[in-house]
Amino acid sequence: MRTRLLIGSLVLLLCWGDAALAQRSGGILRLFQRETPTTASILEEGNAATVVAFMPIFNNLVMFDPAVPQNSDQSIVPDLAESWSWNEDRTELSFTLRRGVKWHDGMPFTSSDVECTFNLLTNRARNPLRRNPRGAWFGNVKFVRSKTDHDVTIHLNRPQPSLLAMLASGLTPIYPCHVPLAQMRLKPVGTGPFVLDAFDKFDRIRLKRNPTYWKAGRPYLDGIEFSVVASRSAALLSFVAGRYDMTFPGEVSITQLRDVRRQSTRVVCEATTMNINTNLLLNRDAAPFDSPDIRRALTLALDRPEFVASLDSGSGLIGGHLYPEGRWGMPTEMLAEVPGYGNDPGKNREEARALMRSAGFGPDKSLQIRILTRAVSPYRNPVTMLSRQLREIYIEPAIDVVETTQWYSRLQRSDYALAIETTGNGIDDPDQVFYESFSCRSERNYSRYCNPEIERLFEVQSRELDFEKRRQLAWDIDARLLADGVRLPLAWRRAATCWQPHVHGFAPQTIGASNGLRFEDVWIERR
């Protein structure tokens, strides 16, 4: 009898285990997003619409552990690379790659694919990327060589401790050698947990489960569906009504979060500060902002506490160019010494008005300008407040609203005087911020700022292996860029992601665009 009970208990336990595993298998995760991606090629795009929708198709060499909120070197874990090591002088980073990994079309993944990806990122490919927004990250890469199909080494010109973190960002997936870039823009091939099923512009993106994914048992979902909904309020109403399982990550403002929680007590929401800032771009190559005095007047006119109080219901942060709550943010007391910061915006504006009067402007003669902005909600409130603040110093703005499809081409052509931009940083590291936004040859340096002396300081901090020394160098550079009025941060965002209670396994990230958004551990509870 005792034996029968024992056997019965084991059977029950095994059945329960099978049921638990089965419960995690299947289902379509439904999300909304505010705009159609321009293309599906992550290496060629810089907006979240592309990265979030298509990241589940790919893998990186390494990734940030999605269970660790603060991305850092200590939270990097293997992905396509099983292990890695540095040489003694930190100029060679070698990887041992996984065996048996296949691309979605059945071709084997090898070290040649890593070489090809770096040829694209360093502009050495025979058929180059149409755009290369992360090219400035990898200017220190001398070459990439593989000894075998499963061993590859990145050779650097000098030490660069940030390299591994840049490789862990969701913005730097590994591309296949054998697939043309033209196809990667429309129907990309990856090694990731999901395969592209459909990319219908202005409607939806559908991903389906990769049945031969190299990570056993993953993903749990049958697929993911992103629906394009231009109105954020309409999308949130549909989410509360149960049409969607999850909001677009980081898309729910703090004000909207309160509305969502009032309308439904069942949904799960997590609000975080984010490595995203709303900032002001100045076209320094054309009048009026080719004038240092006009630029300084604009810098002094900004009332950042007012921006923070208005945006995200006062939950945002004031900071420089480096994420205030990350590992590199400038201390408050140091930031207070930078022009345009401090605790006396009235005094700042009086100095700004004096500069404007010296330039020939005043109550009877205002400076007419146009502010470029996008036709999406995170840009509307900032541009309204900016217009009001600029009128305090004799600047009369008009608003020039463009669609996302035209936005980046306008910036790259410098077809603007002022522009409101929302910048999401791929990782929490000075190299990513400085090289991408301020180096002379970066495609993402929309203000065309080029200062050889500052660029030399970028390299000094980049090669420093001691964390505290490097952080001090980064603070000094940040202060100089802020004083120079290059790309003015207005506020650092705080926002939320919400999901229905039947969604499990999602780990929202607080820092950067990490691989935590591959959704491979997400599962839907059977209802």
Side-chain angles (χ1 to χ4, degrees):
M1 182 68 175
R2 184 176 179 183
T3 303
R4 289 179 181 176
L5 287 173
L6 180 59
I7 292 173
S9 299
L10 287 173
V11 170
L12 181 62
L13 181 62
L14 290 171
C15 291
W16 182 88
D18 289 342
L21 289 174
Q23 185 183 38
R24 293 191 178 201
S25 178
I28 305 294
L29 183 71
R30 302 160 302 166
L31 300 86
F32 62 82
Q33 63 181 46
R34 68 189 181 207
E35 55 195 350
T36 294
T38 306
T39 75
S41 178
I42 291 178
L43 292 187
E44 296 179 287
E45 303 297 339
N47 58 72
T50 296
V51 177
V52 173
F54 296 107
M55 191 187 300
I57 292 173
F58 295 100
N59 290 109
N60 290 34
L61 286 174
V62 293
M63 63 181 285
F64 291 115
D65 185 344
V68 179
Q70 169 70 64
N71 295 172
S72 69
D73 292 348
Q74 289 69 46
S75 67
I76 294 174
V77 296
D79 204 19
L80 288 175
E82 288 183 327
S83 61
W84 59 89
S85 61
W86 288 95
N87 69 340
E88 188 174 351
D89 67 359
R90 306 279 288 190
T91 58
E92 296 178 11
L93 179 58
S94 298
F95 295 92
T96 299
L97 306 180
R98 294 185 187 277
R99 297 173 182 269
V101 176
K102 293 186 181 297
W103 295 98
H104 294 159
D105 58 7
M107 294 290 287
F109 160 72
T110 70
S111 56
S112 295
D113 297 306
V114 179
E115 286 191 51
C116 289
T117 299
F118 271 91
N119 285 338
L120 291 171
L121 290 169
T122 57
N123 296 313
R124 296 184 176 106
R126 181 175 300 175
N127 297 308
L129 297 170
R130 187 180 292 171
R131 290 183 295 272
N132 189 5
R134 258 77 64 193
W137 294 18
F138 301 104
N140 184 40
V141 174
K142 187 189 298 184
F143 59 87
V144 178
R145 290 289 182 271
S146 52
K147 295 182 292 185
T148 70
D149 282 349
H150 300 97
D151 294 277
V152 65
T153 299
I154 302 172
H155 298 260
L156 304 177
N157 293 302
R158 56 166 174 79
Q160 188 176 13
S162 66
L163 179 62
L164 198 62
M166 291 193 290
L167 297 178
S169 167
L171 298 169
T172 53
I174 299 300
Y175 269 28
C177 269
H178 63 282
V179 179
L181 281 173
Q183 179 179 337
M184 296 297 287
R185 296 178 190 122
L186 297 173
K187 192 171 178 59
V189 173
T191 58
F194 294 92
V195 178
L196 181 64
D197 186 33
F199 178 18
D200 302 321
K201 288 197 172 185
F202 308 107
D203 184 15
R204 68 191 66 237
I205 299 161
R206 291 196 305 273
L207 309 180
K208 61 183 179 181
R209 185 179 188 272
N210 176 9
T212 60
Y213 187 40
W214 55 268
K215 191 177 291 188
R218 300 294 194 278
Y220 297 126
L221 297 168
D222 289 328
I224 308 173
E225 183 172 288
F226 297 88
S227 298
V228 178
V229 184
S231 168
R232 189 193 293 188
S233 57
L236 285 174
L237 286 173
S238 294
F239 166 74
V240 171
R243 180 180 174 187
Y244 300 111
D245 302 301
M246 183 179 292
T247 66
F248 191 78
E251 184 71 5
V252 182
S253 72
I254 300 303
T255 300
Q256 290 169 327
L257 173 60
R258 294 178 185 135
D259 292 338
V260 168
R261 284 175 167 161
R262 276 198 298 268
Q263 294 171 48
S264 175
T265 58
R266 299 181 66 251
V267 301
V268 181
C269 296
E270 182 168 327
T272 62
T273 52
M274 304 169 70
N275 198 355
I276 298 174
N277 70 83
T278 300
N279 56 79
L280 185 60
L281 296 173
L282 290 72
N283 185 344
R284 300 162 56 92
D285 296 328
F289 297 111
D290 56 346
S291 164
D293 285 347
I294 299 294
R295 290 200 301 271
R296 182 174 176 83
L298 176 65
T299 298
L300 293 167
L302 301 176
D303 185 345
R304 289 179 174 85
E306 188 178 29
F307 275 103
V308 169
S310 174
L311 304 178
D312 299 329
S313 298
S315 64
L317 302 167
I318 295 174
H321 295 109
L322 302 173
Y323 178 54
E325 287 195 340
R327 303 168 72 222
W328 305 92
M330 191 187 302
T332 303
E333 59 275 13
M334 185 175 180
L335 192 64
E337 300 299 319
V338 176
Y341 288 83
N343 299 317
D344 196 344
K347 181 181 177 182
N348 288 342
R349 283 189 182 163
E350 190 52 50
E351 183 181 345
R353 283 189 284 267
L355 288 167
M356 293 296 291
R357 286 192 293 268
S358 297
F361 300 100
D364 300 323
K365 183 186 177 183
S366 59
L367 172 60
Q368 306 289 317
I369 63 166
R370 297 183 70 82
I371 304 174
L372 187 69
T373 190
R374 289 169 70 184
V376 290
S377 53
Y379 290 71
R380 294 186 188 122
N381 287 345
V383 78
T384 301
M385 180 167 296
L386 175 65
S387 299
R388 186 168 64 249
Q389 292 186 4
L390 293 183
R391 292 188 183 101
E392 295 283 332
I393 64 163
Y394 319 128
I395 296 178
E396 185 58 43
I399 300 175
D400 185 3
V401 181
V402 300
E403 296 296 329
T404 297
T405 53
Q406 303 172 0
W407 175 251
Y408 292 103
S409 60
R410 287 281 299 269
L411 294 183
Q412 287 165 347
R413 296 197 310 269
S414 296
D415 186 10
Y416 69 94
L418 283 180
I420 289 281
E421 168 70 328
T422 295
T423 300
N425 294 318
I427 57 173
D428 180 31
D429 190 275
D431 274 10
Q432 183 267 313
V433 175
F434 293 156
Y435 284 116
E436 181 175 323
S437 296
F438 303 105
S439 63
C440 297
R441 292 179 297 278
S442 173
E443 290 184 15
R444 298 268 282 176
N445 181 2
Y446 299 128
S447 61
R448 299 293 182 267
Y449 178 77
C450 186
N451 185 326
E453 182 182 354
I454 290 285
E455 196 114 357
R456 182 186 64 80
L457 295 178
F458 291 170
E459 183 169 324
V460 171
Q461 68 80 30
S462 177
R463 68 187 304 154
E464 178 56 61
L465 300 178
D466 183 276
F467 173 78
E468 291 299 337
K469 289 181 181 178
R470 186 175 173 224
R471 184 161 62 173
Q472 184 62 60
L473 291 168
W475 289 346
D476 293 339
I477 293 169
D478 197 3
R480 293 185 59 163
L481 291 170
L482 291 168
D484 217 4
V486 181
R487 186 172 188 158
L488 302 170
L490 302 176
W492 287 81
R493 289 191 57 205
R494 182 176 175 84
T497 304
C498 297
W499 55 95
Q500 303 290 354
H502 56 262
V503 175
H504 301 273
F506 177 66
Q509 293 295 306
T510 57
I511 309 290
S514 86
N515 301 71
L517 297 179
R518 283 215 302 250
F519 299 103
E520 63 185 35
D521 295 318
V522 173
W523 56 284
I524 295 177
E525 183 179 349
R526 297 298 189 189
R527 289 168 288 173

